[in-house]
Amino acid sequence: MAKVIEGLYYSESHEYVRVEGDFGFIGITDYAQNALGNVVYVDMPEVDDEVEAGEEFGAVESVKAASDLYSPVSGTVVEINEALEDQPELVNQDAFENWIIKVELSDKSELDALMDAKAYAEFCEK
């Protein structure tokens, strides 16, 4: 069973958002990193790039497959997780600690369209 953390928001494409004030930390879920296998590369946007809810913002590549990343929320990228440039495998070690991008949220109401931990856990079981 993949790890699911309470208090985060989840998308059907297996990204999560951890909200702190006006910022959202976006990464892939434990379920997603597990399905991908050993992550070898994380393609991230640039700081100041705009991301749109439901739109692609990067990709994660593993030995098995490449998977596009879709932003669960809209906003401006204020930080990328530079550690992942040299150590993409950190995503496998702890997907929730090793977020991919930090965005300044432009519309917090978008969070209402995402799943909570319970709904996401049920979604993963299907």
Side-chain angles (χ1 to χ4, degrees):
M1 175 69 195
K3 184 165 88 172
V4 178
I5 295 182
E6 289 291 332
L8 303 182
Y9 298 89
Y10 297 89
S11 69
E12 289 189 3
S13 51
H14 304 288
E15 287 87 14
Y16 69 82
V17 185
R18 182 179 79 235
V19 177
E20 292 182 8
D22 291 329
F23 298 97
F25 293 84
I26 300 171
I28 64 169
T29 65
D30 190 52
Y31 180 92
Q33 74 76 21
N34 203 30
L36 279 166
N38 295 332
V39 173
V40 293
Y41 180 70
V42 181
D43 179 32
M44 297 176 273
E46 302 285 321
V47 169
D48 292 332
D49 281 0
E50 297 289 324
V51 294
E52 291 290 324
E55 299 291 316
E56 192 182 319
F57 73 83
V60 175
E61 292 177 28
S62 73
V63 231
K64 292 196 290 192
S67 183
D68 290 334
L69 296 167
Y70 295 94
S71 185
V73 291
S74 302
T76 305
V77 178
V78 292
E79 193 179 337
I80 61 167
N81 187 346
E82 292 179 8
L84 298 179
E85 292 177 327
D86 297 324
Q87 296 179 284
E89 68 277 4
L90 289 171
V91 171
N92 293 121
Q93 290 168 20
D94 190 333
F96 293 113
E97 274 302 305
N98 294 290
W99 49 271
I100 296 170
I101 60 172
K102 176 182 176 183
V103 299
E104 185 167 3
L105 302 169
S106 57
D107 182 1
K108 281 190 171 174
S109 71
E110 290 175 341
L111 296 167
D112 298 339
L114 300 171
M115 291 177 274
D116 64 10
K118 181 175 183 284
Y120 181 69
E122 289 168 2
F123 175 77
C124 290
E125 285 172 18
K126 289 180 185 154

